[in-house]
Amino acid sequence: MAATTSMLDAAQVASMWVDFAATRVGDAAKKAESGRSSFGTVRDGIAAGVGWSGTGQPAASLIVTAATTSMDTAAIRLRDVQTHLGAFSGAMAQAVAWWQEMSATLDKKKYAVADDGTVTLVPGVELADGDPSPGQLTSEVKQILSYLDAADETLTARLKAAVTDPLPVVGTYATLTLSANATEAWLAAKGPNAGMGPYATNPWDKSWTPDGNVVSGTAGAWDLAVLLGAPCLPGGVAYTGGGFLVGPDGKEYPVVTPQYAGKGGELSGHGPGAETLGGLDTGWQTLATYTGYDQLGEPLSTAEAGMVIAGAIAGAQYQPYTTVNASATQSLVLDEYGYPVAVADTPPGSTAQPPGVPASTYTYVVTDGKGQPQVGSYTAPGMPGGNLVAVGTNVAEGLAAVDQADANSYYTYQVEFQQNTDGRVRAIYTAYQVIDGPDGQYVQPYDVHFDEDGQMVLEEAGWTAPPPISEGGSSVDVHGSD
Amino acid sequence: MASVTMDYALVYSWADTAHDCSPDFDQARGAVGLAGDDAAGGLGGYQSAAAMASFVATWSDTMLDFAAGTLTIGDKLKSSANLVSASDTRSAQEIAASGGDSVQVDILPDGLTWVSGGA
């Protein structure tokens, strides 16, 4: 059923009751954890086979081990549900805050709000200049209602998973499937953290790259994924970003950049303290970090490349003020906070080859010195039958220009997949290029996210406390680092 | 005839510990029920109300199973230790001298306890 304004009116009190329920489930989890902790000593003793060996011990060991696994599963599930209820309570409180703010400024003598969120003009009233239209206000109210609906749907799905996923069972008979069933339930409860646990398999795809794993999403979907369950943060402290990455574990992670004002007030997404917003949003742990070198931006189209070459043939100068150094970009060394500290002497392994000369056949049209059009074509070098046309020098310059322009779309990247103890997940995606400029070489780091069309958006990245340049290669300057 | 080596005093202590876990799960069951009562006050009109009710019913049963299961496991540990204790032919002096360490006994399987071949 869809949320209504009546529900918004009652949501403040309702939020309190849901919060109480979350506390109760937390109490249940605490008791399950206490029981598991005590029972663990029984499991440890029997499984060790020291105080008991021979007949009966294997069966007893199997049963108490499976029971302990099931108790772990129960505690995880109950903690998860506590978190989910707390998150929903938070979402209700957020919706109430928006609704109250809007209601306070809504002139009740002019507008009437129906229970489904539709706003109409009170009969006989006319809008003055600057008054919002009923349509605008309806849209605003319905956004609040749809936020509440989305949170409700999320909670519903999470509660259903806690009931329909494999459930923990304490068996008292040593059946063949007891251990497998207990482990299956534990894996389902543990989710993406399963790779780090005692009963775990490793579901993470080691060959993962960002390519092909971008999922666009509306700002509302991103907000919900990032903020649902987040603590209330003071003004000016927030996350930016957009879009989602399908992680190496197959789950969707919202792409996020923390915005933490460290010393000096500059907003930084990286470095000590940044990922927890200075301790305001704790509980994050990195599940996996993937780094590589790949083409992240759009390559030049054939037409664009042809234009660059045609320009060179026509005598246009392609002398960019700065150029991307592909080799150095590929050789960047990052520290634990993702800060570029050096360019390695030997490039590390990468997930893609650096850009080469495009192997395409181009057609160009230029005007000769007498004003007559000339049409030509060539196949880029490196391909059999390469056929550079007469204006060789300029074509070579054009090819170099195309090569350089293509290099601009290659980056070293780092993606950190993180999960909070309250269940939220996120990906922090950073890209880097080494730039050769008139004043020397420097590194340009970017925070990466995606717009609603799935297009990559790059914003200059910042660190709270850039470390000193380390050894191990040529040191580099970093732009936008403080 | 089956052979078992057991420090039955130790197994008795494990049985007691398993029994002692049961109230934790009973209390967990109670807390889940109370969560259901509180949630009913807050989720009226929301679709998650039904899912919450289902969660409470399922997990109350699960916690009940855990409470009963730990008692049963404790009982089976105790009865297994009883069998070994009853088969221990050492004198009190010999047991004291051994410091309560494990004893090896031969048991006739009857399938009633783990020690006697039960599952």
Side-chain angles (χ1 to χ4, degrees):
Chain A
M1 62 195 77
T4 62
T5 55
S6 305
M7 289 163 75
L8 279 175
D9 290 334
Q12 193 159 24
V13 174
S15 159
M16 192 179 64
W17 281 110
V18 174
D19 215 30
F20 288 156
T23 304
R24 301 287 198 191
V25 176
D27 291 343
K30 201 178 295 178
K31 285 297 171 188
E33 286 159 359
S34 168
R36 183 259 177 258
S37 175
S38 301
F39 197 83
T41 62
V42 178
R43 188 272 312 268
D44 293 346
I46 295 176
V50 176
W52 179 4
S53 60
T55 302
Q57 185 270 343
S61 179
L62 172 65
I63 285 170
V64 296
T65 299
T68 310
T69 305
S70 291
M71 291 171 189
D72 275 337
T73 305
I76 292 167
R77 284 285 188 203
L78 291 169
R79 284 287 177 207
D80 283 349
V81 170
Q82 178 193 11
T83 299
H84 302 331
L85 287 168
F88 184 63
S89 172
M92 288 172 123
Q94 179 65 69
V96 167
W98 285 332
W99 175 235
Q100 288 179 341
E101 187 181 340
M102 188 183 174
S103 296
T105 56
L106 195 70
D107 187 344
K108 308 286 190 307
K109 291 175 184 168
K110 284 186 179 174
Y111 302 101
V113 185
D115 209 30
D116 70 351
T118 304
V119 179
T120 53
L121 270 184
V122 171
V125 170
E126 288 190 7
L127 288 179
D129 284 347
D131 281 346
S133 72
Q136 286 174 307
L137 293 169
T138 298
S139 168
E140 203 173 325
V141 178
K142 293 211 168 182
Q143 272 187 10
I144 299 173
L145 293 176
S146 66
Y147 175 82
L148 200 53
D149 277 336
D152 189 23
E153 282 171 22
T154 301
L155 176 63
T156 302
R158 287 169 167 175
L159 288 171
K160 282 182 178 171
V163 173
T164 54
D165 279 353
L167 287 170
V169 175
V170 172
T172 52
Y173 290 92
T175 61
L176 288 173
T177 57
L178 182 61
S179 179
N181 290 345
T183 303
E184 185 188 8
W186 184 90
L187 285 169
K190 197 72 175 170
N193 278 335
M196 302 189 297
Y199 322 109
T201 58
N202 185 358
W204 293 75
D205 176 5
K206 289 185 170 58
S207 64
W208 183 92
T209 71
D211 187 32
N213 284 307
V214 175
V215 177
S216 59
T218 63
W222 185 89
D223 279 348
L224 196 62
V226 173
L227 300 177
L228 187 59
C232 290
L233 300 170
V237 179
Y239 294 105
T240 57
F244 297 81
L245 281 172
V246 177
D249 57 345
K251 295 181 182 298
E252 284 188 9
Y253 291 77
V255 183
V256 164
T257 303
Q259 296 294 333
Y260 170 59
K263 289 177 186 173
E266 287 287 328
L267 291 175
S268 307
H270 309 268
E275 292 188 0
T276 62
L277 299 176
L280 293 171
D281 190 7
T282 56
W284 290 102
Q285 55 184 321
T286 298
L287 304 174
T289 301
Y290 283 67
T291 57
Y293 176 77
D294 210 342
Q295 187 167 34
L296 304 179
E298 292 292 324
L300 287 184
S301 68
T302 301
E304 289 168 331
M307 286 176 65
V308 171
I309 294 163
I313 292 168
Q317 296 288 312
Y318 185 82
Q319 293 180 329
Y321 189 62
T322 60
T323 58
V324 173
N325 185 320
S327 172
T329 296
Q330 194 181 10
S331 307
L332 270 180
V333 179
L334 309 176
D335 75 358
E336 63 180 307
Y337 294 107
Y339 189 81
V341 289
V343 174
D345 296 330
T346 305
S350 65
T351 54
Q353 295 301 309
V357 176
S360 302
T361 299
Y362 297 110
T363 300
Y364 61 88
V365 181
V366 294
T367 304
D368 66 13
K370 299 173 185 173
Q372 297 299 309
Q374 292 186 335
V375 179
S377 68
Y378 69 92
T379 302
M383 291 185 70
N387 176 29
L388 290 175
V389 290
V391 280
T393 302
N394 283 350
V395 168
E397 287 173 2
L399 279 170
V402 169
D403 193 10
Q404 181 56 54
D406 231 20
N408 292 345
S409 63
Y410 277 73
Y411 299 81
T412 283
Y413 66 82
Q414 176 171 285
V415 184
E416 288 178 85
F417 295 96
Q418 298 184 332
Q419 182 169 30
N420 196 287
T421 49
D422 63 17
R424 285 175 292 149
V425 296
R426 67 187 185 186
I428 297 178
Y429 188 172
T430 317
Y432 310 79
Q433 284 183 321
V434 177
I435 310 289
D436 292 331
D439 298 324
Q441 193 174 75
Y442 63 91
V443 180
Q444 181 60 63
Y446 300 98
D447 291 317
V448 183
H449 66 270
F450 303 93
D451 66 17
E452 294 194 5
D453 296 323
Q455 296 299 308
M456 185 170 74
V457 179
L458 298 171
E459 292 177 341
E460 192 174 273
W463 273 257
T464 53
I469 298 301
S470 67
E471 297 178 355
S474 306
S475 64
V476 289
D477 290 330
V478 179
H479 281 197
S481 59
D482 52 24
Chain B
M1 195 69 73
S3 177
V4 59
T5 303
M6 181 188 282
D7 180 345
Y8 50 83
L10 191 57
V11 176
Y12 279 134
S13 76
W14 292 336
D16 289 342
T17 302
H19 281 152
D20 291 346
C21 295
S22 184
D24 279 331
F25 294 106
D26 259 337
Q27 289 169 32
R29 181 176 63 96
V32 168
L34 291 172
D37 295 343
D38 287 343
L43 294 177
Y46 293 90
Q47 61 170 290
S48 46
M52 184 67 190
S54 174
F55 165 79
V56 168
T58 301
W59 279 83
S60 292
D61 287 348
T62 301
M63 292 297 98
L64 194 63
D65 288 345
F66 275 41
T70 48
L71 284 179
T72 305
I73 290 170
D75 288 347
K76 292 183 85 165
L77 287 171
K78 190 160 278 184
S79 58
S80 296
N82 282 342
L83 268 183
V84 176
S85 173
S87 306
D88 185 1
T89 56
R90 293 177 299 171
S91 67
Q93 289 84 354
E94 286 172 319
I95 293 172
S98 73
D101 285 341
S102 297
V103 62
Q104 189 272 321
V105 297
D106 292 327
I107 301 288
L108 189 63
D110 64 6
L112 296 179
T113 74
W114 283 320
V115 164
S116 61

